Amino acid sequence: MSPVRGYTGWLGTILGTPDPIGLGRFYAGLLGGDLDEGDPEFVTLLVRPTDTTSLGFQLEPDHVPPVWPDPAGGQQMQVHLDIGVASLPEAVEDAVALGARPADQQPQDDVRVMLDPAGHPFCLYTDD
């Protein structure tokens, strides 16, 4: 299938946060890459600087963290990042040291649902 006409190959994912620089630094510590902190309201992390994949962190002063899982069923996660790792215990330890926390519910043995400092869920999974 062909992409839309004029597609440049750039693909970014943007996360809302009350602290774009802080969340950008968290993900730079978690994933590596080059962090552009030039605009305090919109920070970009080039995860692989030779690629066109990025994470952006946009200022949302009234950000409300997603609820996962929502026992009332009113809110869905909407989007999350899957991050493949060689050692789940070591990756969890590193993520926690950077400011993440494990979610209360863990649905699979080979996956750890984590919450970043702004409350966005992401998954660390054993990538065989």
Side-chain angles (χ1 to χ4, degrees):
M1 179 180 286
S2 298
V4 297
R5 288 174 286 172
Y7 176 57
T8 65
W10 181 265
L11 180 64
T13 301
I14 312 303
L15 299 175
T17 176
D19 181 11
I21 292 174
L23 196 58
R25 288 177 181 167
F26 167 79
Y27 277 101
L30 190 69
L31 303 172
D34 292 339
L35 187 63
D36 179 356
E37 299 180 22
D39 179 351
E41 294 187 3
F42 193 92
V43 173
T44 303
L45 174 64
L46 292 174
V47 179
R48 294 183 353 197
T50 59
D51 199 353
T52 54
T53 303
S54 73
L55 284 175
F57 311 96
Q58 178 174 303
L59 178 63
E60 289 185 17
D62 299 323
H63 171 72
V64 176
V67 177
W68 185 89
D70 181 357
Q75 183 185 35
Q76 297 176 352
M77 186 183 327
Q78 301 294 320
V79 68
H80 70 278
L81 303 175
D82 280 345
I83 302 168
V85 299
S87 169
L88 200 51
E90 290 174 353
V92 168
E93 183 179 331
D94 291 349
V96 168
L98 289 166
R101 61 186 168 85
D104 291 337
Q105 184 173 338
Q106 298 295 329
Q108 298 164 286
D109 291 337
D110 60 345
V111 175
R112 287 296 167 272
V113 180
M114 306 293 291
L115 304 174
D116 72 20
H120 301 104
F122 67 93
C123 294
L124 299 172
Y125 73 94
T126 305
D127 187 11
D128 294 327

